[in-house]
Amino acid sequence: MTDRTDVLIVGAGPTGLTLAVELARRGIAHRVVERAAAPSAGSKGKGLQPRTQEIFDDLGIIDRVLAGTTPYPPIRVRIGRLPVYQGRMHRPAAASDEVPYPMVRMHPQWRTEAVLRERLAELGGEVEHGVELTGFAQDAEGVTARLGTGATLRAGYLVAADGGRSTVRKALGVGFTGETREEERMALGDVRVEGLDREHIHAWVRPGRGMVALYPMAGTDCFQFMAPLRPGATPDLTSAGFQRLFAERSMLRSAHGVRITELLWSSLYRVNIRLADAYRAGRVLLAGDAAHVHSPAGGQGLNTGVQDAYNLGWKLARALTGGPASLLDTYEEERRPVAARVLGLSTDLHDRKSYKRDEETYQLQVGYRGGSLARAGGERVPDGPLRLADGSRARMFDLLRGPHFTLLSPDPAPRVPGGPEVRAYAPAEPYGGVRHTLVRPDGHVGIATDSAAELAGYLTLV
């Protein structure tokens, strides 16, 4: 017997989980399968950009996320015990009406995934751990997937969120253009440390030997250990190996009171800079690391994957509930150029070995202007107070929160057969200086126009 669902998501990292939450809150039947037997325990991607925090606000998890985060503390660099530099990666900023989450927040990836799994469970979904996709075939009507359990599953669409080594992408034969810098590797791990304060990122540089850094993970008693490896070096990812790397590069003796006491998780990281040649092949779509992999500089990878899912989720839901199937073509149209720009940014930061971050990495400037769904729009809608025609006041993000389209107009939402859910609000003054502003479910302007006919025409596209 073949089970059926609307969407099969392969991979339960931040991208797959965000997509599952997006589908679950729209009532779209889905399955999430994850080859690993249990959730990952590693800190991995640890920085949540301001735009990602806005997405988590919409998904109803921002309070839980912020409760376990801190802004990045100052970085303190030493040679041995001699301090040589102290500064911040991110310029401190206060929340404003337009940007309620102005700072990158440190949040270990395992906890980000845990919060998303919790939200998914609240919406009636779950992750099937220890279930591997062993093969699939697609036709004009859907995808037939074979699972490691022996079961066969029929889905309307399959989304590959299975990482940089995506088996789905490889099975499709989609190219992954770019480079793997085998000589640029890093020992990465989560460790417990004695003798260090948690108010700083601690880094040591030993000329001729290399660098080691310890990042205090917010809400835990652990540090993330990072140490670039010299070309040709054989990594020892055991507790003893991490202790040797630390002692060699920090030049601190045990008498100085700093000691790694426990290794909780470890990984060998290679710098990969790659972009999938296509994001869609029929009824199979790629998202997150399956579509793009980055250097760690700038903290762009996890965040770009979350935005992929945020863009794709509402489009899949519409395609499955009466919207045009061609809507899914706009996923690659909008998201692949973003990934290409972000890859260039993170690679440049990596090559320059720059620790500084600014608005360019916060992803608040990401937009889709000029695309087929954003001919007169595309930009992110900022938060802020809004006075309505009936005299009441509201905050923009409160109006946008949820899976609907939002219309800011003195006129009621036009009725379009089979069209999406639109919630209309009449501002006291024209928003943005035009009569009708339609905001997509992902918080970007779909169309801004004075023409009711143009507005109605746009709604036939979505």
Side-chain angles (χ1 to χ4, degrees):
M1 181 176 177
T2 300
D3 293 333
R4 294 184 178 274
T5 193
D6 287 331
V7 181
L8 173 61
I9 302 170
V10 182
T15 300
L17 289 168
T18 299
L19 179 59
V21 170
E22 278 285 81
L23 295 176
R25 69 176 181 156
R26 290 173 167 84
I28 302 299
H30 65 280
R31 297 267 297 271
V32 186
V33 297
E34 168 57 55
R35 177 173 54 190
S40 172
S43 57
K44 302 178 190 174
K46 59 186 177 295
L48 297 180
Q49 301 292 347
R51 180 55 181 158
T52 300
Q53 294 170 54
E54 293 182 354
I55 292 171
F56 287 169
D57 181 317
D58 184 36
L59 298 184
I61 60 174
I62 188 61
D63 289 344
R64 280 173 270 188
V65 168
L66 293 182
T69 69
T70 62
Y72 274 54
I75 185 169
R76 178 176 286 174
V77 183
R78 304 178 181 89
I79 297 178
R81 299 183 67 189
L82 177 67
V84 294
Y85 171 81
Q86 179 164 314
R88 288 188 175 272
M89 298 171 66
H90 311 93
R91 185 172 65 248
S96 66
D97 283 342
E98 294 77 17
V99 183
Y101 311 109
M103 295 288 293
V104 180
R105 309 286 294 193
M106 186 181 290
H107 199 239
Q109 183 170 326
W110 66 263
R111 176 170 281 156
T112 298
E113 293 177 3
V115 172
L116 285 164
R117 282 195 306 273
E118 181 180 40
R119 180 63 176 139
L120 180 61
E122 292 169 356
L123 294 166
E126 64 177 350
V127 175
E128 300 174 42
H129 281 102
V131 178
E132 182 176 6
L133 177 74
T134 58
F136 65 91
Q138 63 172 313
D139 53 49
E141 303 300 322
V143 181
T144 301
R146 299 185 301 279
L147 305 179
T149 59
T152 300
L153 178 66
R154 182 70 174 170
Y157 295 93
L158 186 156
V159 178
D162 54 343
R165 298 178 181 177
S166 171
T167 57
V168 176
R169 187 192 64 243
K170 292 175 182 177
L172 290 172
V174 172
F176 207 32
T177 302
E179 60 177 324
T180 299
R181 299 182 179 180
E182 293 289 351
E183 75 284 1
E184 295 186 33
R185 301 168 301 151
M186 181 186 303
L188 189 66
D190 291 341
V191 297
R192 288 195 172 100
V193 181
E194 287 182 352
L196 276 185
D197 71 77
R198 301 185 63 83
E199 284 70 53
H200 297 86
I201 300 167
H202 301 273
W204 291 264
V205 178
R206 183 175 182 180
R209 295 293 184 92
M211 182 271 286
V212 63
L214 291 168
Y215 289 69
M217 289 290 98
T220 76
D221 61 352
C222 303
F223 289 77
Q224 186 186 69
F225 178 108
M226 296 176 62
L229 300 172
R230 289 182 294 175
T234 301
D236 179 359
L237 301 180
T238 67
S239 178
F242 275 69
Q243 290 174 16
R244 280 194 298 271
L245 266 176
F246 179 73
E248 175 188 78
R249 298 185 181 187
S250 70
M251 296 184 287
L252 295 180
R253 299 174 182 173
S254 59
H256 294 144
V258 180
R259 185 170 68 94
I260 294 176
T261 61
E262 188 176 1
L263 174 65
L264 304 173
W265 168 84
S266 66
S267 177
L268 176 63
Y269 177 85
R270 289 179 175 85
V271 172
N272 280 287
I273 303 165
R274 294 184 180 273
L275 178 63
D277 294 346
Y279 276 30
R280 182 185 182 190
R283 287 180 169 263
V284 182
L285 301 107
L286 308 178
D289 286 358
H292 46 79
V293 289
H294 310 243
S295 88
Q300 300 294 288
L302 179 154
N303 295 274
T304 304
V306 166
Q307 287 203 52
D308 287 345
Y310 195 55
N311 183 287
L312 178 58
W314 71 268
K315 294 176 180 178
L316 271 172
R318 285 295 300 139
L320 287 160
T321 56
S326 59
L327 185 61
L328 291 177
D329 292 332
T330 69
Y331 168 60
E332 177 178 325
E333 174 192 305
E334 293 186 339
R335 293 304 301 165
R336 192 170 183 275
V338 169
R341 290 195 297 272
V342 168
L343 279 170
L345 171 63
S346 59
T347 302
D348 179 61
L349 290 170
H350 174 80
D351 290 344
R352 290 193 288 114
K353 295 181 172 56
S354 173
Y355 290 102
K356 293 292 186 180
R357 306 289 182 261
D358 56 25
E359 286 77 6
E360 195 174 14
T361 63
Y362 294 172
Q363 301 202 348
L364 295 172
Q365 299 172 358
V366 170
Y368 308 121
R369 182 173 289 277
S372 58
L373 288 185
R375 292 188 296 267
E379 65 273 11
R380 159 194 167 269
V381 175
D383 197 10
L386 189 68
R387 188 164 60 91
L388 301 179
D390 63 4
S392 64
R393 294 182 178 273
R395 291 200 66 83
M396 182 63 74
F397 278 10
D398 292 336
L399 302 183
L400 301 184
R401 191 177 297 109
H404 54 274
F405 284 73
T406 304
L407 176 64
L408 303 174
S409 169
D411 301 338
R415 294 184 178 181
V416 177
E421 177 189 1
V422 179
R423 297 184 186 177
Y425 301 91
E429 299 177 358
Y431 182 80
V434 296
R435 188 172 182 84
H436 315 290
T437 298
L438 183 72
V439 184
R440 305 176 349 174
D442 57 5
H444 290 263
V445 174
I447 188 170
T449 179
D450 289 317
S451 167
E454 284 187 354
L455 172 62
Y458 182 90
L459 287 169
T460 65
L461 301 176
V462 296

